[in-house]
Amino acid sequence: MATWPPHATRGGLRRRVYRHSTLFDCTLFDRILLETLCHDAHRASSRGVECIEVEGGASLRGTVHLSGSKNASLPMLCAALLAEGTHVFQRVPRLRDIASTLKLLRHLGCRSEVNAGAQGDVINLTVGDTLGDEAPYELVCEMRASVLVLGPLLTRLGRAKVSLPGGCAIGTRPIDQHLKGLEALGARVELHHGYVECVAPGGRLRGGDVHFDMVTVTGTENLLAAAALAQGRTRLFNAAREPEVVALATMLKAMGARITGEGTSEITIEGVDTLKPAVYEVPPDRIEAGTYMVAAALTGGDLTLENVPLAQLDALTTVLREAGAEVEALGDTRCRVSRSGPLRPVSLTTAPYPAFATDMQAQWMVLMTQAEGESTISERIFENRFMHVPELARLGAQLSVEGDTATVSGPTPLEGAVVTATDLRASACLVLAGLVAGGVTRIRRVYHLDRGYDDLVGKLNGVGARLKRVRE
Ligand code: EPZ
């Protein structure tokens, strides 16, 4: 019987060993999974789908100016629904997920104007006095974060109908905490035919206490937005402390919301009757920055990074230094990352901010394939965020997975191969692996990368890498 995740079997978890380009101890399910991936990739590529080819061997040297945060931009754009008028967003990254969000907002009746700027795009988003109340499946399935319109629509209109986002490669990703929180604010929540249908009795949510069973970033963001226009006081307990939540709270306060405690696990919101549009600056992307910091350490290079939220990267900086990289702060938003000596193995566990970010787990794994010794990486946020492991094995990495923990043996010389991206951060990890693999690595399903990395090819080639986009 096939089991999911692949390494789990009824009554226990079985060790899975990945060596070189074949899967040892491979079960029928794995073969189906991999054949599906390969067949899917082959089928997709037979349609001339875009790939990225990486020629390995370069050590990265120079300066990279990084972009605004994807995971801050998305809730901020959705929160504009709370106030009629024209909102101005500055330093917005140019990403597929931003385009998907604007497409959904236009479907709801907003107008958007995107202007290129020296520090990222400037987006004028005009929200009308009449809004649609339904986010359809065909738009929500493009991007899970579309669920972030639920809180704003419900609290602004008194009703909202949003398609359930469904799972993705890294896990089932339910939204039960979002719905539980909205019910605590008085919403009537029903599930029909794959949609969440919410109604605020009397047309307005009322403040209340919300206790999240686990830390949820977009759950906290949905409730923050919903509570901003609710009648009375709302308190969020076990709230996410991520910087992207703080960025949303900063935007809401600029609109006139009354919020305290953002960045801590208890946030208090005093509801107001109306909010007004304003001008907002998207903060730097800590995950993009972390990805380039790892790239510098991985290639034994010397990178200066600009527009980096250094204060948000303590967990990564600590383990990079333990692994033998030099990380030098050059001010609040600039740093220099280099490595001249050998890489040391450093084990870690992912956890909510400010601990080591799950969105950096795959990138860290690539680095550890070049470390002199064995390390373990435990993924405690998502139940299936090791989809990059069999792909890294195709490049020659020595990996094994048991339950929620991967063991990496290094240093292992990687050899270029054709690999398939399964999700956003896995695709970034495969690009990093290609930078140090011998020969050429071709990464298929590269649309994942374009969802969350602004001009990755241009930025890496600007500091000595050799990447190119190709159509098969
Ligand atoms: C956000 O996803 C980010 N996405 C993710 O980044 C990030 O990996 C994740 O937070 C964790 O930091 C955006 O901000 C758009 P969660 P989110 O709700 O909010 C479970 C990337 O690569 N859970 O914090 O969807 C959930 O299954 C993306 O940029 C419930 O069970 O994640 C997971 O195991 C990937 N019920 C854990 O909580 C719920 O109602 C944390 O999920 C909500 C969450």
Side-chain angles (χ1 to χ4, degrees):
M1 179 195 81
T3 54
W4 186 267
H7 46 274
T9 54
R10 180 176 293 283
L13 297 168
R14 198 181 58 231
R15 180 177 173 77
R16 164 69 25 65
V17 178
Y18 298 84
R19 280 202 182 88
H20 299 303
S21 60
T22 55
L23 286 179
F24 286 78
D25 183 23
C26 184
T27 66
L28 171 63
F29 183 87
D30 289 310
R31 270 199 292 281
I32 293 169
L33 177 71
L34 278 177
E35 282 159 11
T36 306
L37 263 183
C38 303
H39 171 69
D40 182 16
H42 178 71
R43 185 169 50 82
S45 66
S46 64
R47 291 200 304 266
V49 173
E50 210 169 15
C51 306
I52 282 184
E53 275 189 355
V54 188
E55 187 184 333
S59 63
L60 305 182
R61 295 181 182 287
T63 299
V64 183
H65 186 89
L66 300 171
S67 301
S69 166
K70 166 181 89 80
N71 287 350
S73 302
L74 302 182
M76 289 170 73
L77 287 167
C78 293
L81 292 167
L82 291 167
E84 185 184 340
T86 297
H87 304 250
V88 180
F89 296 84
Q90 300 172 334
R91 295 194 170 198
V92 184
R94 184 164 299 182
L95 303 169
R96 280 169 57 105
D97 274 12
I98 300 294
S100 301
T101 302
L102 292 177
K103 190 171 154 190
L104 173 57
L105 293 172
R106 286 195 298 272
H107 172 84
L108 293 170
C110 302
R111 286 197 325 276
S112 63
E113 178 191 314
V114 182
N115 301 299
Q119 308 277 338
D121 286 341
V122 176
I123 296 180
N124 295 334
L125 184 63
T126 300
V127 178
D129 57 350
T130 54
L131 285 173
D133 64 3
E134 181 174 335
Y137 174 74
E138 59 273 12
L139 292 178
V140 173
C141 73
E142 261 187 48
M143 183 191 63
R144 291 185 34 67
S146 306
V147 72
L148 284 164
V149 301
L150 180 59
L153 282 178
L154 177 58
T155 202
R156 170 87 189 275
L157 304 177
R159 66 190 183 284
K161 181 180 177 184
V162 175
S163 167
L164 282 166
C168 69
I170 63 179
T172 53
R173 308 202 49 196
I175 60 166
D176 56 297
Q177 299 295 307
H178 300 231
L179 304 182
K180 171 187 164 186
L182 294 173
E183 284 178 326
L185 302 193
R188 200 174 63 242
V189 176
E190 295 180 2
L191 299 182
H192 295 299
H193 311 296
Y195 279 77
V196 177
E197 297 183 22
C198 297
V199 172
R204 188 175 185 184
L205 294 175
R206 52 166 167 72
D209 286 354
V210 176
H211 295 266
F212 290 111
D213 298 336
M214 83 284 293
V215 172
T216 162
V217 175
T218 49
T220 301
E221 290 163 347
N222 244 333
L223 266 297
L224 203 50
L229 286 177
Q231 176 83 42
R233 167 176 296 181
T234 295
R235 294 186 298 177
L236 307 181
F237 296 95
N238 198 21
R241 300 167 54 190
E242 271 69 3
E244 294 76 29
V245 172
V246 174
L248 175 62
T250 303
M251 167 186 174
L252 292 172
K253 288 159 84 169
M255 294 168 67
R258 294 169 54 202
I259 300 169
T260 55
E262 65 271 22
T264 75
S265 57
E266 185 176 330
I267 304 176
T268 301
I269 306 103
E270 301 290 349
V272 295
D273 294 336
T274 58
L275 293 168
K276 60 187 184 324
V279 179
Y280 328 101
E281 190 170 287
V282 173
D285 191 319
R286 61 191 172 100
I287 304 301
E288 183 194 32
T291 303
Y292 284 86
M293 292 168 77
V294 168
L298 179 67
T299 60
D302 187 342
L303 281 187
T304 296
L305 301 175
E306 296 177 339
N307 198 33
V308 174
L310 262 183
Q312 299 170 11
L313 288 157
D314 283 351
L316 175 64
T317 301
T318 301
V319 291
L320 275 173
R321 287 174 174 150
E322 284 177 18
E326 292 85 37
V327 181
E328 180 189 357
L330 304 173
D332 293 343
T333 60
R334 287 180 78 235
C335 69
R336 180 178 172 194
V337 184
S338 58
R339 177 178 63 87
S340 49
L343 276 170
R344 296 186 287 267
V346 176
S347 297
L348 53 80
T349 298
T350 66
Y353 189 85
F356 190 90
T358 175
D359 291 348
M360 284 299 304
Q361 179 255 105
Q363 298 91 311
W364 189 256
M365 189 177 289
V366 181
L367 186 67
M368 289 297 100
T369 68
Q370 304 308 304
E372 298 187 351
E374 187 170 280
S375 57
T376 60
I377 298 171
S378 297
E379 172 56 57
R380 295 284 161 78
I381 303 290
F382 291 108
E383 73 268 25
N384 188 50
R385 204 167 195 175
F386 285 144
M387 296 284 279
H388 44 283
V389 168
E391 296 307 296
L392 287 175
R394 291 181 51 74
L395 299 174
Q398 306 273 313
L399 305 164
S400 65
V401 172
E402 187 158 2
D404 65 6
T405 298
T407 300
V408 188
S409 303
T412 313
L414 303 182
E415 294 174 0
V418 176
V419 289
T420 301
T422 52
D423 58 86
L424 169 56
R425 306 303 172 183
S427 53
C429 120
L430 294 173
V431 171
L432 295 184
L435 292 174
V436 292
V440 174
T441 299
R442 172 173 289 199
I443 299 147
R444 288 179 163 151
R445 301 170 80 181
V446 77
Y447 58 82
H448 287 294
L449 210 60
D450 295 335
R451 288 191 45 220
Y453 284 91
D454 186 348
D455 190 22
L456 183 86
V457 173
K459 284 172 177 166
L460 285 176
N461 285 350
V463 287
R466 293 184 291 273
L467 280 72
K468 64 180 178 180
R469 285 178 181 267
V470 296
R471 278 193 180 279
E472 286 187 327

XYZ file of all heavy atoms in Angstrom, residues 99-166:
496
model
N 2.067 38.668 -9.270
C 1.158 38.750 -10.419
C -0.125 37.966 -10.148
O -1.232 38.444 -10.455
C 1.854 38.223 -11.674
N 0.015 36.789 -9.524
C -1.173 35.977 -9.199
C -2.082 36.716 -8.210
O -3.308 36.705 -8.341
C -0.750 34.629 -8.594
O 0.070 33.915 -9.484
N -1.461 37.363 -7.235
C -2.255 38.093 -6.229
C -2.985 39.274 -6.866
O -4.177 39.492 -6.614
C -1.326 38.593 -5.108
O -0.641 37.477 -4.529
C -2.111 39.309 -4.002
N -2.305 39.993 -7.744
C -2.951 41.136 -8.417
C -4.099 40.644 -9.304
O -5.152 41.286 -9.392
C -1.926 41.918 -9.238
C -0.869 42.669 -8.424
C 0.137 43.359 -9.336
C -1.510 43.688 -7.476
N -3.910 39.480 -9.902
C -4.978 38.905 -10.761
C -6.221 38.623 -9.908
O -7.360 38.939 -10.298
C -4.448 37.614 -11.384
C -5.313 36.994 -12.477
C -4.502 35.859 -13.124
C -5.330 34.783 -13.748
N -4.512 33.607 -14.151
N -6.015 38.083 -8.739
C -7.147 37.797 -7.838
C -7.790 39.101 -7.367
O -9.022 39.238 -7.355
C -6.661 36.976 -6.636
C -7.686 36.743 -5.529
C -8.944 36.061 -6.054
C -7.059 35.926 -4.397
N -6.980 40.073 -7.015
C -7.533 41.351 -6.521
C -8.314 42.066 -7.628
O -9.370 42.662 -7.380
C -6.404 42.237 -5.977
C -5.730 41.712 -4.710
C -4.502 42.553 -4.352
C -6.710 41.685 -3.532
N -7.837 41.957 -8.857
C -8.589 42.555 -9.974
C -9.909 41.814 -10.163
O -10.957 42.421 -10.411
C -7.757 42.526 -11.259
C -6.617 43.539 -11.296
C -6.060 43.715 -12.705
N -5.485 42.468 -13.223
C -4.213 42.105 -13.019
N -3.405 42.885 -12.294
N -3.747 40.975 -13.517
N -9.882 40.509 -9.972
C -11.118 39.711 -10.085
C -12.139 40.197 -9.049
O -13.353 40.208 -9.292
C -10.805 38.231 -9.849
C -12.028 37.360 -9.743
N -12.676 36.844 -10.843
C -12.747 36.954 -8.645
C -13.725 36.132 -10.434
N -13.797 36.189 -9.108
N -11.650 40.650 -7.901
C -12.540 41.118 -6.821
C -12.975 42.561 -7.041
O -13.775 43.097 -6.257
C -11.813 40.973 -5.465
C -11.531 39.530 -5.026
C -10.595 39.513 -3.818
C -12.849 38.793 -4.715
N -12.442 43.210 -8.097
C -12.909 44.564 -8.411
C -11.888 45.656 -8.199
O -12.198 46.852 -8.324
N -10.638 45.281 -7.899
C -9.607 46.309 -7.700
C -8.958 46.646 -9.046
O -9.068 45.896 -10.008
C -8.522 45.795 -6.748
S -9.158 45.307 -5.139
N -8.283 47.777 -9.075
C -7.495 48.145 -10.265
C -6.032 48.268 -9.838
O -5.734 48.818 -8.763
C -7.955 49.492 -10.838
C -9.279 49.440 -11.580
C -9.507 50.671 -12.475
N -8.970 51.901 -11.914
C -9.602 52.667 -11.027
N -10.790 52.285 -10.569
N -9.060 53.783 -10.554
N -5.140 47.725 -10.658
C -3.716 47.785 -10.277
C -2.905 48.406 -11.403
O -3.199 48.218 -12.579
C -3.185 46.384 -9.988
O -3.259 45.594 -11.158
N -1.899 49.167 -10.986
C -0.969 49.773 -11.959
C 0.438 49.491 -11.449
O 0.743 49.804 -10.278
C -1.223 51.287 -12.018
C -0.306 52.059 -12.950
C -0.462 53.575 -12.719
O -1.622 54.030 -12.640
O 0.575 54.250 -12.544
N 1.256 48.850 -12.263
C 2.605 48.459 -11.835
C 3.621 49.295 -12.593
O 3.608 49.326 -13.822
C 2.857 46.966 -12.111
C 4.250 46.559 -11.609
C 1.787 46.104 -11.431
N 4.471 50.010 -11.856
C 5.528 50.806 -12.491
C 6.886 50.313 -12.016
O 7.098 50.135 -10.804
C 5.357 52.288 -12.111
C 3.982 52.810 -12.560
O 3.672 52.815 -13.732
N 3.149 53.190 -11.590
N 7.794 50.121 -12.953
C 9.143 49.669 -12.591
C 9.850 50.778 -11.825
O 9.734 51.952 -12.163
C 9.922 49.304 -13.844
N 10.553 50.366 -10.772
C 11.312 51.351 -9.994
C 12.727 50.845 -9.789
O 13.007 49.658 -9.976
N 13.630 51.754 -9.418
C 15.045 51.363 -9.254
C 15.193 50.338 -8.125
O 16.022 49.440 -8.165
C 15.869 52.609 -8.936
N 14.338 50.435 -7.126
C 14.456 49.532 -5.963
C 13.310 48.524 -5.949
O 12.828 48.146 -4.880
C 14.412 50.367 -4.674
C 15.401 51.511 -4.638
C 16.797 51.062 -4.204
O 16.922 50.011 -3.547
N 17.813 51.782 -4.576
N 12.815 48.126 -7.142
C 11.671 47.222 -7.169
C 10.461 47.944 -7.742
O 10.487 49.152 -7.974
N 9.384 47.211 -7.960
C 8.204 47.799 -8.583
C 7.426 48.669 -7.600
O 7.452 48.441 -6.395
C 7.293 46.684 -9.114
C 7.869 46.038 -10.382
O 8.726 46.675 -11.014
O 7.488 44.905 -10.705
N 6.741 49.671 -8.175
C 5.795 50.476 -7.395
C 4.405 50.088 -7.892
O 4.135 50.127 -9.097
C 6.024 51.985 -7.610
C 4.969 52.798 -6.857
C 7.432 52.363 -7.127
N 3.549 49.661 -6.982
C 2.210 49.212 -7.368
C 1.170 50.144 -6.757
O 1.146 50.347 -5.536
C 1.956 47.760 -6.904
C 2.909 46.800 -7.621
C 0.497 47.361 -7.172
C 2.736 45.340 -7.237
N 0.360 50.757 -7.642
C -0.796 51.537 -7.190
C -2.004 50.612 -7.263
O -2.372 50.142 -8.333
C -1.018 52.758 -8.084
C 0.156 53.746 -7.991
O 0.852 53.772 -6.960
N 0.376 54.513 -9.022
N -2.624 50.367 -6.121
C -3.745 49.428 -6.061
C -4.988 50.195 -5.605
O -5.038 50.710 -4.478
C -3.433 48.297 -5.077
C -4.454 47.180 -4.969
C -4.595 46.431 -6.295
C -4.049 46.186 -3.875
N -5.942 50.316 -6.509
C -7.155 51.070 -6.195
C -8.287 50.110 -5.841
O -8.630 49.228 -6.630
C -7.566 51.947 -7.396
O -6.482 52.847 -7.674
C -8.827 52.745 -7.081
N -8.792 50.270 -4.622
C -9.848 49.397 -4.111
C -11.164 50.182 -4.159
O -11.230 51.292 -3.643
C -9.540 48.971 -2.656
C -10.653 48.092 -2.095
C -8.192 48.234 -2.610
N -12.175 49.602 -4.814
C -13.437 50.321 -4.988
C -14.328 50.186 -3.758
O -14.016 49.476 -2.806
N -15.457 50.907 -3.827
C -16.393 50.813 -2.691
C -17.259 49.557 -2.819
O -17.889 49.120 -1.879
C -17.286 52.061 -2.623
C -18.060 52.249 -3.940
O -17.729 51.525 -4.910
O -18.982 53.082 -3.966
N -17.276 48.983 -4.022
C -17.976 47.681 -4.148
C -16.929 46.624 -4.520
O -16.098 46.843 -5.413
C -19.036 47.735 -5.277
O -18.375 48.174 -6.471
C -20.160 48.693 -4.913
N -17.001 45.523 -3.837
C -16.037 44.441 -4.043
C -16.778 43.120 -4.246
O -17.839 42.902 -3.635
C -15.137 44.303 -2.804
C -14.051 45.333 -2.579
C -13.407 45.100 -1.202
C -12.986 45.251 -3.677
N -16.200 42.255 -5.057
C -16.710 40.885 -5.125
C -16.372 40.182 -3.821
O -15.438 40.585 -3.111
N -17.136 39.154 -3.489
C -16.867 38.470 -2.208
C -16.399 37.034 -2.416
O -16.338 36.255 -1.473
C -18.120 38.472 -1.323
C -19.252 37.666 -1.961
O -19.037 37.077 -3.043
O -20.358 37.625 -1.361
N -16.059 36.672 -3.674
C -15.696 35.277 -3.925
C -14.331 35.151 -4.600
O -14.054 35.809 -5.603
C -16.751 34.591 -4.809
C -16.399 33.128 -5.069
C -17.483 32.358 -5.814
O -18.670 32.770 -5.733
O -17.136 31.358 -6.471
N -13.477 34.305 -3.984
C -12.165 34.000 -4.582
C -12.277 32.601 -5.172
O -12.316 31.619 -4.425
C -11.080 34.052 -3.524
N -12.345 32.483 -6.514
C -12.652 31.196 -7.133
C -11.477 30.232 -7.134
O -10.307 30.643 -7.072
C -13.041 31.588 -8.563
C -12.300 32.849 -8.820
C -12.221 33.558 -7.502
N -11.815 28.943 -7.292
C -10.799 27.882 -7.237
C -9.692 28.122 -8.259
O -8.511 27.994 -7.940
C -11.472 26.530 -7.506
C -10.480 25.394 -7.613
C -9.840 24.887 -6.485
C -10.147 24.846 -8.853
C -8.915 23.865 -6.566
C -9.220 23.816 -8.957
C -8.605 23.335 -7.814
O -7.672 22.324 -7.926
N -10.091 28.506 -9.485
C -9.059 28.590 -10.532
C -8.010 29.648 -10.220
O -6.889 29.578 -10.694
C -9.677 28.853 -11.915
C -10.486 30.107 -12.044
C -11.934 29.881 -11.647
O -12.226 28.814 -11.055
O -12.764 30.773 -11.898
N -8.345 30.605 -9.361
C -7.332 31.599 -8.984
C -6.623 31.174 -7.703
O -5.413 31.325 -7.567
C -7.989 32.973 -8.802
C -8.532 33.610 -10.087
C -9.201 34.952 -9.779
C -7.425 33.812 -11.111
N -7.355 30.616 -6.747
C -6.749 30.237 -5.468
C -5.787 29.071 -5.669
O -4.729 28.999 -5.037
C -7.831 29.875 -4.430
C -7.197 29.319 -3.152
C -8.691 31.084 -4.104
N -6.092 28.144 -6.592
C -5.212 26.966 -6.744
C -3.879 27.372 -7.372
O -2.891 26.655 -7.257
C -5.894 25.887 -7.562
S -6.020 26.247 -9.303
N -3.845 28.545 -8.012
C -2.556 29.031 -8.563
C -1.586 29.352 -7.430
O -0.393 29.229 -7.564
C -2.801 30.327 -9.359
C -2.905 30.173 -10.854
C -2.985 31.547 -11.533
O -2.170 32.432 -11.198
O -3.878 31.711 -12.373
N -2.145 29.804 -6.313
C -1.260 30.230 -5.232
C -2.009 30.118 -3.906
O -3.024 30.788 -3.679
C -0.806 31.684 -5.451
C 0.161 32.176 -4.413
S 0.395 33.943 -4.551
C -1.253 34.497 -4.184
N -1.505 29.289 -3.041
C -2.146 29.003 -1.751
C -2.376 30.265 -0.923
O -3.362 30.401 -0.210
C -1.258 28.069 -0.921
C -1.096 26.687 -1.377
C -0.296 25.914 -0.372
N -0.532 26.328 0.995
C -1.646 26.188 1.683
N -2.661 25.680 1.099
N -1.772 26.602 2.917
N -1.451 31.185 -1.052
C -1.531 32.384 -0.184
C -2.749 33.237 -0.526
O -3.048 34.207 0.181
C -0.247 33.192 -0.334
N -3.482 32.866 -1.592
C -4.726 33.593 -1.913
C -5.712 33.544 -0.746
O -6.595 34.387 -0.633
C -5.387 32.982 -3.148
O -4.466 32.948 -4.213
N -5.520 32.574 0.132
C -6.431 32.471 1.287
C -6.334 33.733 2.137
O -7.199 34.012 2.974
C -6.088 31.210 2.116
C -4.782 31.386 2.889
C -7.223 30.850 3.064
N -5.313 34.544 1.905
C -5.121 35.784 2.673
C -6.175 36.845 2.343
O -6.216 37.887 3.005
C -3.714 36.333 2.424
C -2.597 35.594 3.148
C -1.232 35.938 2.561
C -2.627 35.907 4.643
N -7.034 36.615 1.359
C -8.117 37.576 1.123
C -9.314 37.284 2.028
O -10.219 38.113 2.174
C -8.575 37.588 -0.362
C -7.429 37.940 -1.286
C -9.219 36.269 -0.759
N -9.313 36.133 2.669
C -10.473 35.720 3.473
C -10.747 36.691 4.620
O -11.862 37.222 4.757
C -10.259 34.302 3.997
C -11.375 33.704 4.867
C -12.699 33.664 4.116
C -10.983 32.296 5.335
N -9.767 36.965 5.426
C -9.948 37.867 6.574
C -10.382 39.263 6.153
O -11.401 39.780 6.646
N -9.658 39.886 5.214
C -10.044 41.229 4.777
C -11.458 41.299 4.168
O -12.247 42.189 4.493
C -8.982 41.568 3.728
C -7.792 40.752 4.110
C -8.330 39.500 4.691
N -11.797 40.324 3.290
C -13.132 40.360 2.677
C -14.226 40.210 3.729
O -15.213 40.947 3.738
C -13.259 39.249 1.637
C -12.606 39.466 0.272
C -12.811 38.230 -0.605
C -13.138 40.720 -0.415
N -14.037 39.262 4.639
C -15.082 38.986 5.631
C -15.309 40.189 6.540
O -16.455 40.588 6.783
C -14.690 37.758 6.470
C -15.653 37.396 7.600
C -17.066 37.129 7.069
C -15.132 36.174 8.368
N -14.244 40.816 6.972
C -14.412 41.935 7.917
C -14.859 43.209 7.211
O -15.519 44.068 7.802
C -13.117 42.163 8.708
O -13.412 42.861 9.932
C -12.072 42.919 7.905
N -14.567 43.331 5.927
C -14.962 44.539 5.168
C -16.412 44.421 4.689
O -17.168 45.403 4.718
C -14.006 44.704 3.973
C -14.407 45.740 2.953
C -13.915 47.143 3.267
N -14.531 48.099 2.357
C -14.072 48.393 1.138
N -12.956 47.779 0.705
N -14.706 49.264 0.366
N -16.776 43.204 4.186
C -18.091 43.026 3.543
C -19.112 42.332 4.426
O -20.286 42.306 4.138
C -17.922 42.207 2.248
C -16.950 42.730 1.193
C -16.876 41.751 0.021
C -17.378 44.128 0.719
N -18.617 41.638 5.462
C -19.524 40.843 6.295
C -19.758 39.458 5.721
O -20.499 38.648 6.267
N -19.120 39.155 4.626
C -19.249 37.810 4.021
C -18.048 37.571 3.108
O -17.424 38.509 2.634
C -20.548 37.688 3.216
C -20.572 38.592 2.010
C -21.889 38.705 1.293
N -21.748 39.538 0.113
C -21.653 40.880 0.165
N -21.679 41.500 1.348
N -21.505 41.592 -0.950
N -17.749 36.275 2.900
C -16.641 35.913 1.991
C -16.790 34.452 1.606
O -17.219 33.632 2.436
C -15.288 36.145 2.655
N -16.468 34.176 0.350
C -16.499 32.784 -0.138
C -15.180 32.547 -0.839
O -14.900 33.156 -1.885
C -17.684 32.595 -1.090
C -17.809 31.166 -1.620
C -19.007 31.031 -2.557
C -19.085 29.619 -3.156
N -20.198 29.521 -4.145
N -14.348 31.694 -0.249
C -12.988 31.495 -0.767
C -12.743 30.017 -0.988
O -13.043 29.195 -0.102
C -11.932 32.058 0.211
C -10.511 31.757 -0.257
C -12.121 33.565 0.391
N -12.212 29.663 -2.137
C -11.911 28.252 -2.406
C -10.881 27.758 -1.401
O -9.930 28.467 -1.049
C -11.338 28.111 -3.814
O -10.783 26.815 -3.967
N -11.084 26.521 -0.937
C -10.051 25.917 -0.087
C -8.781 25.822 -0.916
O -8.836 25.416 -2.081
C -10.504 24.533 0.374
C -11.520 24.532 1.515
C -12.144 23.162 1.664
C -10.858 24.985 2.809
N -7.626 26.195 -0.340
C -6.408 26.254 -1.163
C -5.877 24.898 -1.565
O -5.153 24.767 -2.534
C -5.402 26.996 -0.281
C -5.897 26.844 1.108
C -7.374 26.695 1.023
N -6.222 23.834 -0.802
C -5.645 22.531 -1.126
C -4.198 22.463 -0.685
O -3.610 23.461 -0.283
